[in-house]
Amino acid sequence: MPVPVIQKFSLKFPIKNSQDVRPESFFKIFNAWIPSRPEIFIDVADYSHVTDGPLTVLIGHYADLVLDKTENTVGFVYRQKRTTETSFEKILAKSLKQLLHYAKLIDDDASITPRVLIDKTQLEISFNDRLLAPNTAEAFKVLDPVLTKSLAGVFGGTKFTITPAAFNSQTRLTVKVVLK
Amino acid sequence: MHTWKEHLAATISRDEALGIDGFETTINLKKQGKIEDKVFAETRLRRGVYGQRYDNGHRNDGAMDRVIPFPSPLTKGPGTAWDAPGMLRIKIPFGLLTTQQMLELANIAEEYSDDILHITTRQDFQLHYIHIEDTPDIFRRLAGVGITTLEACGNTIRNITGCPTASVCAESAFDVTPYADQAFQYLLGHPDCQDFGRKFKIAFSGCADKPCGLAQMHDIGFIAKTVTVDGKTQNGFRVVVGGGLGAVPVQAKEFFDFMPADDLLKFCRATARVFARYGEKKNRNRARMKFLINDWGIEKFKETVLEEMKTMPAEPVGARHAVPVLANTTSDPSNTAPNSLATSIPGSAQQSNFSNTHQSTSVAVDEHAHGKKHEHGHGMPCPYTDWRANNVAAQRQPGFYTVTIALPLGDITANQLRKLALILPKYINDTIRTSVEQNLVLLWVKESDLNALHDDLKKLDLHHADYGTIMDMTACPGTDTCKLGISSSRGLAAELRHQMIDGKINLPASAKNLKIKMSGCFNSCGQHHIADIGFYGVARKVGDYMVPFFQLMLGGQTADNAGSYGLAAMAIPSKAVPKALERLTKFYDEKKEASENFQKFVERQGKVAIKNLLDDLTQVPAYDADPTCYTDWGSARTFSKKDIGIGECAGEVVSKLDFGLAEAERQTFAAQVALESNDLKVAHDKAQNAMLSAAVGLISERDADTKTDYATIKNKFQTLFVDTQVFNDPFAGDKFAKFFTNPRVFDANKTDKAATREFIEEAILFIEACHAYNLKKESVTPS
């Protein structure tokens, strides 16, 4: 079965010290990134008044960056939306590199006090495409080898495990990656 | 199956599927430069695809204007970048939603938007940051669960709103839902409603007094009423017309003291026809029906509509818009709902101590919002007793209750909506309602389930005990996403909410049930005219800088169906609004007479007293002294008005001819696609339909009531355009007209690909001749 070219997915690193995270810090940083970064960023949305979803979103053309609290887990999300790449493996690899790049910028930003500790050993991948990536064992089986190959390419010799979350027709296909 | 089109082919009705396919083709044609911006903009607006802030490709970062380098050079409307994210308005007629629909809405928000669903003041859902090229699949998925976005924007009949509790509220005359449903089904896409100069809004209210329907601020407001004739109770409506908010707010005027419900559709159709025929089309600022009624006077308007009711042509037998069957869309899970009015009065039996409700101890994101204190969710107290007092109301059917889920700023996340849909079957039947107050309403909850429901809602952080209180504010999108926003209405609402929760604004108990509504500009999408305390965004220049201000509106009300509108009192700097609110409510608490409501109090005190109370707050410190005053709430940038764009609220005035020609282009494109697939009969039919669409467009300018079948159009075309020779080409004479009046006939045994191709070419030539006629007509029409 051919691997579908999935363009829409979210990559999430949890934040270790979530109790210290201030959405307004991300709001300011995201605003500053709009003119200063080469990517096409458009605006920042503040959703800190709601629960179980995004808190602050940097809206982009190809991808969004999100301070997120879905399922009560505070994390930093790279939400891949569209691309000109034509293979899922390449799209995923490129997105992972972007996530790591922006996570480092957050890590290094001295304006955030206390500093945000992004946990780069725990990665959650959620597929925002119920047609090409339904939350089924069959879909995971097709994607698993590509995930493995793409992650290995990005993380080099670091060992990792990939585990799907519960298969459920209501929710997105989600996998947990643990890097060791 | 690799496309939603294939996946949902068996689920979506043929008409709906064809319409969506047609829109997808229109997108492709626009990408090829074959449709002009104005036509495409109005076409997408009528599908609910709306522009959003920065879609002109520019954003001011507080210091300078910067170009957003969207990849595509294309546009999707005048000055609107193709790749710019937009808003999608999803119609929820009278706010009625099934759990299946909730689940799909959640999925769509997750996959195409930013995980947030916003409920509007017309009971719609709005998704933001949607790409135009994702919209056909979104439409398909919505259609798969029975939702349409058709006519959600543009110069159309917008979502028909309806009181969500009319079936259970002791004060309602009867349930208006089936009537609202009937009107929605009948008017959606009705030919008589396609040629308006502006939008048209209809509301149904179950009673005269409560604020659930807001009938007085609508083009047509239907207020349920019964009369007794010969001992029999007859359902009908008090009907008001010509209301509206916006820059020129107008209270609707009475048309009928009582109109039998049987006349509902006829009245709607006649009014729509009168508005389409006589309403202003050129001056967008005077194109709503309220201006027509103002110009004519209500008596002339009534005479004209009543005459239209008598003389308008009958609906063609078998037409799509034949009168739909009156549906009963309300549900009682126990099947025990009484049909007659019960004596129980809805309302809260218990009083909460408002001043003591908002306690909090924690900070930062793990304790929720904005790094500030917050009493909701995450283990913070939000007592059942408060929720029961504020959010729960007894139905007229003993033992049952309505429960309102108060949504902050009208927002709910995809995950919350999904989880809510999954728990609801434990408590109610399959449906839930959105409200014009941007909340969700559950009906038919048993008293014995209230505790468990509260516990379940608490797990989703949907148990806020705010409903009907001053914290349950209404705000339009404002500068967050709207192209017209001047000041940040959502930013202000969020800040007021946070400060109330944190106790930074000290509110007296008498302020508990005051209504606050705010808009980002004077257009009043946040309904600032009908609040006790309203705000709308303005700007003032201080030194060399612009400063965000809000105009304070006082004296409005939602009661009596939005029975009175507030008046502007004074403009207050955005950053001073929390302090102004605190002073105003304290002033009210200290000076009000016994049981004097806020409107009466404001009226008695007068503007001078209010101005004296707040005057010092209007002073803005110099930029160097306090630059924060020059930044709006919810913004990190120095304030400016440079991001304001051209709004799409007014839609684009596009004639039926322009629409007909655009449809013709779409059909010829589809014909060529079919030809490539060797589907010759389909190609032939589409080419013929293309010519028919163009001809219908031409004829509709002369005869708005024309039937659209080929025989009728052919005869009319012959009479109006061929016999008079006005359509003739200077060189080819009536050659092109004959392609339409005497078309090739498809013969499965003889018609080959070459002949089909020639027929398509003839269709294209006929359509070009229609364009040429249109240009010739315009060139001789006096300006």
Side-chain angles (χ1 to χ4, degrees), chain A residues 96-164:
Chain A
L96 280 167
K97 286 174 189 166
Q98 288 288 82
L99 171 68
L100 289 164
H101 168 68
Y102 282 107
K104 184 166 189 317
L105 289 182
I106 296 286
D107 281 343
D108 295 345
D109 197 314
S111 72
I112 305 176
T113 51
R115 298 296 264 272
V116 171
L117 304 173
I118 296 175
D119 182 355
K120 299 182 196 69
T121 66
Q122 311 274 331
L123 174 68
E124 185 180 273
I125 307 174
S126 299
F127 294 89
N128 301 319
D129 190 331
R130 287 171 170 79
L131 185 74
L132 299 182
N135 192 2
T136 61
E138 295 74 31
F140 174 70
K141 195 174 166 188
V142 171
L143 292 173
D144 190 21
V146 192
L147 289 170
T148 303
K149 193 173 170 190
S150 190
L151 288 164
V154 173
F155 294 110
T158 309
K159 289 185 178 174
F160 57 84
T161 58
I162 301 174
T163 313

Side-chain angles (χ1 to χ4, degrees), chain B residues 378-401:
Chain B
H378 315 287
M380 303 302 290
C382 190
Y384 173 80
T385 49
D386 284 359
W387 179 79
R388 176 77 195 250
N390 294 333
N391 297 44
V392 179
Q395 295 186 183
R396 70 183 183 218
Q397 297 85 357
F400 291 97
Y401 291 80

Side-chain angles (χ1 to χ4, degrees), chain B residues 481-496:
Chain B
T481 50
C482 175
K483 295 183 348 176
L484 296 175
I486 296 171
S487 304
S488 177
S489 40
R490 274 170 65 89
L492 175 62
E495 184 61 28
L496 290 177

Side-chain angles (χ1 to χ4, degrees), chain A residues 18-19 21-22 24 27 31 35 40 42-43 47-49 51-52 55 62 69 71 82 130 170 172, chain B residues 54 59 66 69 71 107 110-111 114 131 134 364-366 368-370 378 411 413 415 418-419 461 634:
Chain A
S18 58
Q19 72 281 1
V21 174
R22 302 288 192 276
E24 61 265 36
F27 192 83
N31 263 284
I40 302 174
I42 300 160
D43 198 18
Y47 296 122
S48 55
H49 52 280
T51 306
D52 201 3
L55 294 169
Y62 293 109
K69 203 184 173 189
E71 298 295 347
R82 60 184 62 83
R130 287 171 170 79
Q170 299 297 351
R172 295 173 292 178
Chain B
Y54 316 120
R59 183 180 189 269
R66 292 182 192 274
N107 293 347
E110 206 166 54
E111 294 178 45
D114 59 354
H131 196 282
D134 285 333
V365 68
D366 232 20
H368 203 259
H370 236 11
H378 315 287
D411 289 347
T413 67
N415 241 12
R418 178 180 302 110
K419 290 173 182 174
D461 196 32

Side-chain angles (χ1 to χ4, degrees), chain A residues 19-24 46 48-49 69, chain B residues 359-378 380 491-504 575 578 633-634:
Chain A
Q19 72 281 1
D20 295 328
V21 174
R22 302 288 192 276
E24 61 265 36
D46 171 19
S48 55
H49 52 280
K69 203 184 173 189
Chain B
Q359 303 166 3
S360 57
T361 54
S362 189
V363 292
V365 68
D366 232 20
E367 302 302 337
H368 203 259
H370 236 11
K372 297 177 181 180
K373 298 175 184 180
H374 198 300
E375 104 278 33
H376 297 307
H378 315 287
M380 303 302 290
L492 175 62
E495 184 61 28
L496 290 177
R497 185 179 162 78
H498 289 312
Q499 292 205 19
M500 287 178 197
I501 291 167
D502 289 355
K504 288 180 183 168
K575 290 293 170 77
W633 296 117

